[in-house]
Amino acid sequence: MTTQVSREAFGALDDGTRVDRWTLESGAGGVRVRILTYGGIIQTVEAPDRDGVRGQLALGFDDLGSYVAHGGSHFGALVGRYANRIAGAAFRLDGRTWTLTPNDGPHSLHGGPRNFSRVVWDARQVDGGVQLHRVSPDGEEGFPGALEVRVTYTLSPGGALRIVSCARTDAPTVVNLTNHTYLNLGGDGSGSAAGHELRLAASRYTPCDDGGIPLPGAPAEVAGTRFDFRTAREVGGAFDHNFVLDGGVCHAPRTVAELYDPGSGRALALATTEPGLQLYTAGHLDGTLTGTSGVPYGPAAGLALETQHFPDSPNRPDFPSAVLRPGETYRSETVYGFSVRQRAAGFP
């Protein structure tokens, strides 16, 4: 069995730029993923439940215009140059201060207002998937250096979605890429995902201020707090926090998160090379946006598990470095492994 890959037109931007949709399918009734060249967006993720019924799990829209109009929600998006926040929309590198475009109060979020999720990428088919490519010009949203980026999405015959991001620069810069897909394992439009059970391989997290910027000092222990997901439990309340993954930066992906929906039996095992994971329960959703299911999205309509370096790392020398220099290659890999559990609740 091989992964089937196809391409179709998905519309055009106001300036006439064509947008395509690529479909990766692991087999009849198996996992199917649709990816847009606009923003590298994962539009849909379809996977079977414990009864073999395939459901759509990713929050998103049916049409290109909605993605353009509501890009601030980052549904399914490839974000960068710097995922998460940079405090004060500025950082120092090699003795110079670089001023970025603020788009989250005084801060830079996900690379600025015209980040990687707001542009059309070149695309070519690869074995089992599609590779996106673009060159972010020197000075884009204030970031130094021309950055050549390739992001490859592949789907294994067994239904594992792998995202590999690589980048090279012609001048010292900072890079931190992630995918911002919100998942509801019960199905898009099925209600709150706060009842999903989550386990994280994270003994620490980075406390933050009201603007999402990590507070001074070392990461805090999760023990005895609501941030302790070392044993699987319901997600419950609202989160928009970075978890410090055990093991730090790795050369090969290791499993760092497990998510399970007792109702459908669907489970997700998430593996990554990254040192951090931002858990975001979509608190900004208030019922004003309606996605592919036709059901308005409220808080926790989906969960984002964003594998990445820590927020504000360019201003925090005590955090894992996000600096990329000429001659080096940035590489990040994350794998989403979908499965089903036949029993009603809980992880082993």
Side-chain angles (χ1 to χ4, degrees):
M1 182 175 63
T2 59
T3 299
Q4 301 298 310
V5 181
S6 60
R7 181 183 68 175
E8 61 186 329
F10 191 69
L13 301 181
D14 289 345
D15 64 3
T17 303
R18 170 178 165 141
V19 173
D20 287 335
R21 178 169 70 178
W22 290 74
T23 299
L24 319 181
E25 186 161 9
S26 63
V31 176
R32 181 166 58 198
V33 180
R34 292 188 171 96
I35 299 156
L36 308 181
T37 54
Y38 178 76
I41 288 169
I42 295 178
Q43 183 204 14
T44 65
V45 176
E46 299 170 77
D49 63 10
R50 64 163 59 93
D51 297 319
V53 178
R54 189 158 63 180
Q56 208 291 91
L57 314 182
L59 273 58
F61 302 112
D62 285 324
D63 64 289
L64 178 60
S66 293
Y67 283 108
V68 173
H70 305 296
S73 291
H74 298 103
F75 288 143
L78 190 175
V79 293
R81 284 189 194 189
Y82 198 92
N84 217 308
R85 295 169 176 87
I86 296 179
F91 65 94
R92 287 185 64 80
L93 179 61
D94 296 341
R96 177 176 173 180
T97 298
W98 297 93
T99 301
L100 310 176
T101 309
N103 63 325
D104 186 44
H107 311 309
S108 170
L109 174 64
H110 294 326
R114 184 176 166 78
N115 62 60
F116 287 2
S117 70
R118 308 288 266 172
V119 297
V120 178
W121 294 66
D122 296 328
R124 69 180 184 92
Q125 184 172 338
V126 296
D127 186 23
V130 59
Q131 183 179 87
L132 305 183
H133 172 263
R134 80 177 293 255
V135 176
S136 172
D138 179 27
E140 185 171 55
E141 297 298 350
F143 288 93
L147 188 75
E148 182 175 19
V149 185
R150 298 182 190 273
V151 180
T152 305
Y153 301 79
T154 56
L155 187 65
S156 74
L161 174 64
R162 183 182 304 270
I163 305 176
V164 178
S165 302
C166 297
R168 292 178 66 86
T169 182
D170 66 359
T173 192
V174 295
V175 185
N176 183 31
L177 307 182
T178 194
N179 182 272
H180 206 291
T181 297
Y182 299 86
L183 292 173
N184 186 321
L185 298 183
D188 180 29
S190 64
S192 173
H196 286 17
E197 296 177 18
L198 175 66
R199 185 182 71 82
L200 294 175
S203 301
R204 297 177 298 158
Y205 76 103
T206 50
C208 59
D209 63 19
D210 291 343
I213 303 300
L215 296 172
E221 299 291 328
V222 301
T225 75
R226 72 185 189 98
F227 299 96
D228 192 349
F229 288 97
R230 293 174 296 174
T231 299
R233 64 175 178 85
E234 287 191 359
V235 173
F239 291 90
D240 189 8
H241 294 83
N242 170 66
F243 287 79
V244 178
L245 299 174
D246 299 339
V249 179
C250 296
H251 292 294
R254 81 285 193 198
T255 300
V256 298
E258 291 175 314
L259 189 66
Y260 174 65
D261 172 44
S264 68
R266 294 188 184 96
L268 168 68
L270 186 68
T272 189
T273 56
E274 289 296 301
L277 182 148
Q278 187 86 3
L279 170 63
Y280 181 42
T281 54
H284 74 287
L285 297 178
D286 58 5
T288 58
L289 298 181
T290 298
T292 57
S293 66
V295 177
Y297 290 144
L303 307 177
L305 304 173
E306 305 163 59
T307 56
Q308 56 191 251
H309 273 53
F310 304 168
D312 203 31
S313 287
N315 291 311
R316 293 290 299 267
D318 53 323
F319 287 174
S321 176
V323 174
L324 181 69
R325 299 185 181 278
E328 299 175 345
T329 299
Y330 166 92
R331 187 180 188 280
S332 175
E333 181 175 354
T334 297
V335 182
Y336 298 76
F338 297 94
S339 62
V340 294
R341 299 180 184 272
Q342 295 304 319
R343 59 191 181 83
F347 287 113

